[in-house]
């Protein structure tokens, strides 16, 4: 029964993930305005464009590969990770990086060593830091559709963006006490006292992720490993609430839930055995906490994922299950061939 | 009355899949005896039991049961019906290799004469039973065709593999329904001869008729053997040899070892039934074949003479070659595709499967791990594939290529439709060839070094003898000289 529920082809897998993204995307549009939709649309077009271009240059059949939806998924994942008021060129450049540098330079679908969307995100973050840090929409004051459109064209006046909650804890909240922090409108108007609006987007991604679990596209290992290690570390250091970011904020304010179910679960660049996936996710969780707490970037998922992607061959080598009939599991690479 | 104990397995298969079984279609109609076909084909080399040699000449008249092929392993194959040997000519064989072999062609006639062996009467020795198995042409009827007697020896447990876990196959199921007595008797005879203490039957829970028949047969058997039936959940590949041993006995056979090294003997029910008949003097002349598949017009099981042409089997299922897209011998996962259709069935032909395989486009591996989840031996097929694709046989071997049982469960679950099992089969064949080449090279090196050593040793001995002789002659000369000096005449 469960086997029939599992998607029967690669394109069906990708399609299922696209559908599972929809709740989060829709809530995102509701919270942050239509900029999210514009980003997704331009990401769709450019993902198809870059994919077709690369396939053509590589002399590969275009239609079969385009119809496996993998490029579209990369585009959407990146579009949903970018600031909601990002100008069109940022999205196009990002998708171009993801498809060309992240995927096709390594041989296309199934051969990318790192997560293409996160590679593009990291590249944009270091090469366009201002756009990547200042264009986050204020969920309490989302722009109207015309304003969102001018933001998309890169010609909008300011006034609808704000620092994200994770940013607040690292900058404005320094020196404040816990009750003073709670007076900030983003926290005061939040249902969970975490981050108004943003928390609903995170929960919508969580719902989509549960759908993926139910369809057996992903297993529990990655979400549990990642969220568990992130929560555990932040809970350990949250003894002093005046200086540390609370665990619930780590969970709901940033991209944690989105990443736990949609980013880390990229099978190509992640570890492959269940045990390996658990270790991979724990690694990303720990790095995310460390970079969020001690680093200079607004969110840390991209760098944490990239770093752990590099560790995947090693994780794979040390986490194979024991082959039936053997005393111990096979370790190491067995020669350099 | 034999003692019986029925239980459900306490053990679980790692991995495995639950595919659609398609078994009911061929079990609805009763077993049918196939008419004797006009011609029967017996390949000299691929009938089971190794390379063979023809025992007959063209023009000779043979009866049902006349020995016609003697193989390297000692197994003798007999004519399944009486008739005239019309020719011995190279023909394609019904084997995964699709090879060509000299084939004995018998033109059958109406006469029903038999050339059977003398029935054995208890008590007999192990050697006598082994000889009988050879003379009656008994090989494993489950599919591999391994000569059965080679497995017999110092075993304490007999496991009867009645799982028949692959979709479509129902030949064993039918045999158990119609002739459970022979299976039980064969098991008792074997157990008594080789002092086997434990007889365990592993059967999947989708064969309730067969289970009932076995139960009745065991309870009415005039034997003091103790039988255990272990009911397994329907899960492919629970009928793999190692998998079955794990599910029935809870014992794990070490990688690279055989069950017989652990004192466990595994037999297909058909083999035991054949052994029971062999004791009565009847060699293997017929077997049950499942005719099935979506393109088989009337799917059923038939009792067919060994050597029956495939076209006759298809005709029995009211199907002809023009209306089928692929013909597979065996199940959909482990069977092999047939290239030449004008061939005769062998003792291991358990199923003729005709269907439209509907091949799906192969896409790149996305390392989703579905194959690893389905693998019954906990391999990581995605890593194995990566190694084999990059021609890294050594790395594939390190990943456990030799432990693959080629069950093809990974193929079934792969969302990219990669023929993983074919990669592994090919890789294993290369690995084996490499190992054999290595062994040959090692043997040659050993021969060379021992020859060099021997030559050196001989040279040294010769040298030593020469020195000794020289010393002697010097001595003798000295003595002579001394004598001459001491006696100046």
């Amino acid at each position: 029964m469960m086997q029939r529920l599992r998607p029967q082809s690669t394109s069906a897998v990708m399609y299922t993930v696209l559908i599972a993204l929809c709740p989060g995307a829709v809530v995102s549009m509701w919270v942050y305005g239509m900029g999210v939709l514009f980003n997704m649309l331009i990401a769709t077009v450019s993902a198809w464009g870059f994919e077709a271009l690369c396939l053509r240059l590589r002399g590969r059949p275009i239609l079969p590969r385009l119809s496996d939806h993998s490029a579209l998924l990369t585009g959407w994942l990146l579009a949903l990770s970018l600031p909601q008021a990002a100008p069109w060129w940022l999205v196009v450049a990002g998708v171009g990086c993801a498809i060309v540098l992240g995927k096709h330079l390594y041989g296309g679908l199934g051969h990318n060593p790192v997560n293409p969307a996160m590679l593009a995100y990291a590249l944009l973050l270091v090469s366009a830091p201002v756009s990547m840090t200042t264009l986050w929409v204020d969920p309490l004051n989302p722009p109207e559709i015309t304003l969102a459109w001018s933001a998309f064209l890169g010609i909008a006046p300011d006034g609808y963006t704000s620092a994200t909650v994770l940013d607040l804890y690292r900058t404005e909240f320094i020196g404040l006490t816990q009750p003073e922090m709670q007076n900030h409108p983003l926290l005061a108007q939040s249902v969970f006292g975490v981050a108004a609006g943003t928390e609903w987007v995170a929960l919508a991604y969580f719902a989509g992720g549960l759908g993926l679990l139910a369809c057996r596209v992903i297993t529990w290992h990655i979400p549990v490993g990642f969220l568990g290690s992130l929560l555990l570390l932040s809970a350990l250091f949250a003894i002093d609430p005046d200086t540390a970011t609370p665990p619930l904020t780590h969970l709901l304010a940033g991209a944690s839930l989105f990443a736990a179910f949609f980013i880390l679960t990229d099978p190509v660049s992640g570890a492959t055995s269940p045990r390996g996936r658990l270790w991979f996710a724990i690694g990303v969780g720990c790095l995310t906490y460390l970079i969020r707490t001690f680093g200079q970037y607004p969110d840390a998922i991209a760098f944490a994922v990239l770093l752990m992607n590099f560790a995947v061959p090693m994780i794979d080598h040390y986490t194979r299950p024991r082959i039936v009939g053997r005393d111990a599991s096979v370790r190491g690479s067995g020669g350099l061939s | 009355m034999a003692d019986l104990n029925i239980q459900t397995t306490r053990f679980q298969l790692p991995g495995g899949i639950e595919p659609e079984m398609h078994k009911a279609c061929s079990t609805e109609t009763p077993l049918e005896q196939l008419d004797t076909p006009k011609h029967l084909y017996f390949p000299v080399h691929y009938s089971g039991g190794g390379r063979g040699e023809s025992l007959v000449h063209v023009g000779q008249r043979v009866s049902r049961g006349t020995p016609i092929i003697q193989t390297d392993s000692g197994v003798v194959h007999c004519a399944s019906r009486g008739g005239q040997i019309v020719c011995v000519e190279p023909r394609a064989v019904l084997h995964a290799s699709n090879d060509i072999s000299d084939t004995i062609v018998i033109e059958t006639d109406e006469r029903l004469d038999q050339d059977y062996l003398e029935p054995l009467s208890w008590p007999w020795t192990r050697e006598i039973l082994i000889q009988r198995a050879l003379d009656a042409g008994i090989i494993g009827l489950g599919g591999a065709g391994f000569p059965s007697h080679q497995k017999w020896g110092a075993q304490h447990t007999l496991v009867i593999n009645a799982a028949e876990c692959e979709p479509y196959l129902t030949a064993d199921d039918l045999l158990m329904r119609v002739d459970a007595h022979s299976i039980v008797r064969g098991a008792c005879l074997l157990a008594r001869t080789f002092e086997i203490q434990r007889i365990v039957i592993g059967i999947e829970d989708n064969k309730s008729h067969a289970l009932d028949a076995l139960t009745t047969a065991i309870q009415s058997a005039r034997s003091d053997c103790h039988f255990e039936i272990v009911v397994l959940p329907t899960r492919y590949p629970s009928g793999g040899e190692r998998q079955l041993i794990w599910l029935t006995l809870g014992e794990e056979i070490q990688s690279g070892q055989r069950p017989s090294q652990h004192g466990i003997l595994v037999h297909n029910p058909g083999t035991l039934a054949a052994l029971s008949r062999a004791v009565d003097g009847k060699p293997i002349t017929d077997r049950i074949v499942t005719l099935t598949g979506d393109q088989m017009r009337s799917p059923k099981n038939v009792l067919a003479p060994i050597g029956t042409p495939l076209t006759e089997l298809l005709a029995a299922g009211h199907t002809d070659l023009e209306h089928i897209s692929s013909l597979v011998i065996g199940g959909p996962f482990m069977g092999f595709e047939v290239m030449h259709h004008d061939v005769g069935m062998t003792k291991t032909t358990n199923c003729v499967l005709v269907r439209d395989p509907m091949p799906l486009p192969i896409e790149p591996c996305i390392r989703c791990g579905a194959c690893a989840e389905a693998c019954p031996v906990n391999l990581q097929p995605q890593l194995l594939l990566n190694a084999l694709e990059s021609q890294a046989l050594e790395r594939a071997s390190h990943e456990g290529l030799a432990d693959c049982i080629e069950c093809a469960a990974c193929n079934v679950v792969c969302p990219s439709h990669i023929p993983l099992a074919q990669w592994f089969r090919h890789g294993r064949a290369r690995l084996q060839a490499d190992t054999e080449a290595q062994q040959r090279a090692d043997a040659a090196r050993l021969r060379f070094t021992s020859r060099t050593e021997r030559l050196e040793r001989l040279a040294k001995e010769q040298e030593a003898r020469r020195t000794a002789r020289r010393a002697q002659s010097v001595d003798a000369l000295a003595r002579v000289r001394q004598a001459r000096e001491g006696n100046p005449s």
Side-chain angles (χ1 to χ4, degrees), chain A residues 92-224:
Chain A
V92 173
V95 173
C97 287
I99 303 281
V100 180
L101 301 181
K103 185 175 168 192
H104 281 285
L105 278 191
Y106 293 103
L109 178 64
H111 298 287
N112 45 301
V114 298
N115 189 313
M118 289 302 102
L119 178 78
Y121 188 95
L123 275 174
L124 291 180
L125 192 57
V126 292
S127 48
V130 178
S131 303
M132 290 293 284
T133 48
T134 59
L135 293 175
W136 298 93
V137 166
D138 182 358
L140 298 175
N141 180 26
E144 292 294 314
I145 184 158
T146 46
L147 192 56
W149 179 249
S150 13
F152 180 64
L153 296 178
I155 52 173
D158 204 2
Y160 49 86
T161 57
S162 75
T164 64
V165 172
L166 280 178
D167 258 344
L168 291 177
Y169 276 96
R170 225 186 23 249
T171 53
E172 292 179 33
F173 285 180
I174 291 177
L176 298 190
T177 59
Q178 179 70 13
E180 288 169 337
M181 295 179 193
Q182 286 298 333
N183 286 333
H184 190 280
L186 272 180
L187 271 67
Q189 293 187 31
S190 152
V191 176
F192 302 104
V194 175
T198 312
E199 57 203 17
W200 292 111
V201 178
L203 288 175
Y205 283 127
F206 181 54
L210 291 183
L212 286 185
L213 274 174
C215 294
R216 306 224 306 157
V217 170
I218 59 173
T219 54
W220 57 267
H221 303 84
I222 285 181
V224 168

Side-chain angles (χ1 to χ4, degrees), chain B residues 193-215:
Chain B
T193 313
F194 287 91
E195 285 157 21
I196 291 166
Q197 290 106 38
R198 220 177 147 193
I199 306 176
V200 185
I201 304 177
I203 183 165
E204 278 190 348
D205 59 9
N206 58 356
K207 288 181 253 303
S208 51
H209 294 295
L211 181 61
D212 291 345
L214 278 176
T215 313

Side-chain angles (χ1 to χ4, degrees), chain A residues 1 3-4 6-11 13-14 64-65 68 108-111 216-217 219 266-274 277 312-313 316-317 319-327 330-337, chain B residues 14 16-20 235 242-243 252-256 360 362-370 372-374 376-380 382-383 389 392-395 397-403 412-417:
Chain A
M1 179 57 212
Q3 258 157 12
R4 242 157 287 152
R6 185 202 284 259
Q8 298 286 308
S9 69
T10 307
S11 61
V13 171
M14 303 292 173
R65 282 283 81 78
D68 70 19
L109 178 64
H111 298 287
R216 306 224 306 157
V217 170
T219 54
D266 170 37
V268 177
S269 57
T272 189
S273 67
R277 284 177 177 163
V312 157
D316 279 349
H317 284 158
T319 53
R320 293 186 194 88
R322 183 185 68 89
I323 295 172
V324 172
R326 304 251 189 126
D327 291 331
V330 177
R331 296 281 161 87
S333 68
L336 294 169
S337 56
Chain B
I17 52 172
E18 286 168 22
E20 299 211 24
R235 190 168 180 82
R242 285 151 195 272
Q243 285 65 39
E252 203 173 295
I253 305 298
Q254 286 286 302
S255 169
L360 293 158
I362 298 173
E363 287 169 72
C365 171
I366 55 166
R367 288 167 45 103
C368 67
E373 229 174 281
V377 282
N378 280 342
L379 296 175
Q380 298 288 305
Q382 70 280 41
L383 298 181
E389 273 181 339
L393 206 56
E394 202 182 324
R395 182 149 56 95
S397 163
H398 182 77
E399 295 279 355
L401 182 60
D403 293 270
V412 181
V413 296
C414 179
S416 297
H417 319 297

Side-chain angles (χ1 to χ4, degrees), chain B residues 442-457:
Chain B
D442 285 348
R445 188 162 48 245
L446 196 67
R447 271 202 307 279
F448 176 75
T449 46
S450 57
R451 178 170 180 271
T452 323
E453 269 169 24
R454 196 179 66 237
L455 289 183
E456 273 172 13
R457 200 184 63 233

Side-chain angles (χ1 to χ4, degrees), chain B residues 222-288:
Chain B
R222 283 180 295 123
S223 157
D224 51 2
C225 288
H226 177 83
F227 279 82
E228 293 164 59
I229 294 185
V230 181
V231 180
L232 321 171
T234 302
R235 190 168 180 82
Y236 182 81
S238 59
E241 194 170 54
R242 285 151 195 272
Q243 285 65 39
L244 188 75
I245 290 172
W246 168 251
L247 288 171
T248 51
L249 308 176
E251 253 185 81
E252 203 173 295
I253 305 298
Q254 286 286 302
S255 169
Q257 291 191 351
R258 289 213 191 92
S260 51
Q261 289 167 283
H262 289 241
I264 300 166
L265 184 59
V266 182
H267 272 310
N268 172 268
T271 313
L272 295 170
L275 181 68
S276 155
R277 286 185 215 115
V279 168
D280 295 336
K282 294 180 198 155
I284 299 182
T285 55
D286 297 66
R287 76 152 292 149
I288 300 180

